[in-house]
Structures are given as C-alpha cells and as structure tokens.
Amino acid sequence: MSQSPVESHARAQRGVADLFTAGGRLAAIPRKAARRAQLLVHLTETLFATDRDYTESEVNRLLLTVHEDCAALRRYLVIAGHLTRTRDGAGYRRATTTR
C-alpha cells in the first residue's frame, strides 16, 4: 500500500526535524544522499514559492536563514532538480517537477 502525498510529506517533516538545532538552524548538511534528499525537499517546500522567480541573492538570503553554506545548499537544490536556474545563473525558480 503506497502513501498519500500528505502522509509522505508528514513523514519527511518528521524525518528532518533532528537535523535542526533548537534555534531552527541546520546543524550540518547531511553527507548521506538519502538524508540530504529529505532535507532538500523540506527546504524547497518551506522556503520557495511555486509561482515566483528569485535572484541569486534572494536564494542565498533564504538559505542563510538555515545554514551558513548557502552556496552548497543552492547547488544541491539545482542538481536535485528542486530549483531551476537561468542560463546566466542569475535567476532561480522552484521546479514544478523534480528529477
């Protein structure tokens, strides 16, 4: 029996809670791909609107609210297909589908 999207999202939310400090900051970017994938889904759903374009500085500012290495998080989000980037690298948008 497969899970509904709501159940899957709830499981993902519980799954990443231990990655954050009491202050809401990310303790470390997970090394394991599966844990990092859970984190990236969480960050995408909580930080980025589906119908909006972002500049690189806006993406950085949002990611800095959770971790100081915003460049690594941004790169992981693009590689995983959660964010799309314009050819010149200046603009970002939340992807409608992920890879």
Side-chain angles (χ1 to χ4, degrees):
M1 183 162 100
S2 66
Q3 294 183 338
S4 74
V6 171
E7 291 169 327
S8 181
H9 177 70
R11 191 182 83 232
Q13 292 289 81
R14 283 191 307 272
V16 299
D18 63 321
L19 297 175
F20 291 88
T21 65
R25 302 273 302 160
L26 182 61
I29 299 172
R31 291 183 192 178
K32 291 186 178 185
R35 292 292 283 152
R36 192 168 51 242
Q38 285 181 312
L39 172 67
L40 296 176
V41 168
H42 172 75
L43 293 178
T44 301
E45 292 176 351
T46 57
L47 297 178
F48 300 99
T50 55
D51 58 349
R52 184 178 183 297
D53 292 323
Y54 295 89
T55 64
E56 184 171 341
S57 64
E58 288 175 315
V59 171
N60 290 345
R61 202 166 32 254
L62 289 168
L63 293 173
L64 282 169
T65 65
V66 294
H67 195 268
E68 65 274 359
D69 194 351
C70 63
L73 289 173
R74 187 182 67 240
R75 183 174 52 252
Y76 287 134
L77 286 164
V78 171
I79 290 169
H82 294 290
L83 291 181
T84 59
R85 180 174 43 205
T86 58
R87 256 186 217 275
D88 64 3
Y92 294 81
R93 187 172 188 85
R94 181 173 166 179
T96 55
T97 60
T98 58
R99 296 178 193 167

